[in-house]
C-alpha cells in the first residue's frame, strides 16, 4: 500500500472507519441487550466488544473533530 492519498481521501477513510465502528458498537449492544453477553468458545462477549468498538469510535471522532468527546 504505497498509494499517496490527499487529506480529503484520508478524512473520508477515517470517517468510513468511524461509521463502521459505530455500526459494530450498535450491533453488539443489541446482542448484549438480548442477553448474549457470553460466548461458549471463550471469545469476548457482546458487552466487551461493544465497549471496544465504542472506544475506537470515540478515538476516531476525536481525530475528525477534536473536542467531540469529553474524556474523564
Amino acid at each position: 500500500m504505497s498509494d499517496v492519498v490527499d487529506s480529503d481521501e484520508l478524512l473520508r477513510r477515517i470517517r468510513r472507519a468511524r461509521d463502521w465502528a459505530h455500526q459494530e458498537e450498535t450491533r453488539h449492544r443489541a446482542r448484549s441487550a438480548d442477553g448474549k453477553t457470553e460466548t461458549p468458545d471463550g471469545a469476548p462477549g457482546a458487552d466487551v466488544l461493544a465497549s471496544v468498538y465504542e472506544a475506537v469510535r470515540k478515538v476516531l471522532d476525536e481525530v475528525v473533530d477534536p473536542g467531540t468527546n469529553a474524556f474523564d
Side-chain angles (χ1 to χ4, degrees):
M1 187 165 146
S2 61
D3 296 340
V4 176
V5 296
D6 63 4
S7 60
D8 289 335
E9 176 63 17
L10 182 58
L11 187 57
R12 276 191 293 275
R13 291 178 184 190
I14 293 170
R15 285 181 174 151
R16 194 168 44 240
R18 179 192 59 187
D19 293 344
W20 175 79
H22 179 69
Q23 286 177 330
E24 291 298 305
E25 175 190 353
T26 302
R27 183 171 69 95
H28 289 292
R29 290 239 184 266
R31 280 185 55 216
S32 181
D34 289 343
K36 299 176 182 169
T37 58
E38 297 292 326
T39 58
D41 61 355
D47 52 345
V48 173
L49 291 173
S51 296
V52 169
Y53 286 113
E54 178 185 17
V56 169
R57 180 189 50 81
K58 284 183 175 185
V59 168
L60 293 174
D61 278 344
E62 280 298 311
V63 170
V64 172
D65 189 17
T68 301
N69 296 291
F71 293 107
D72 294 332

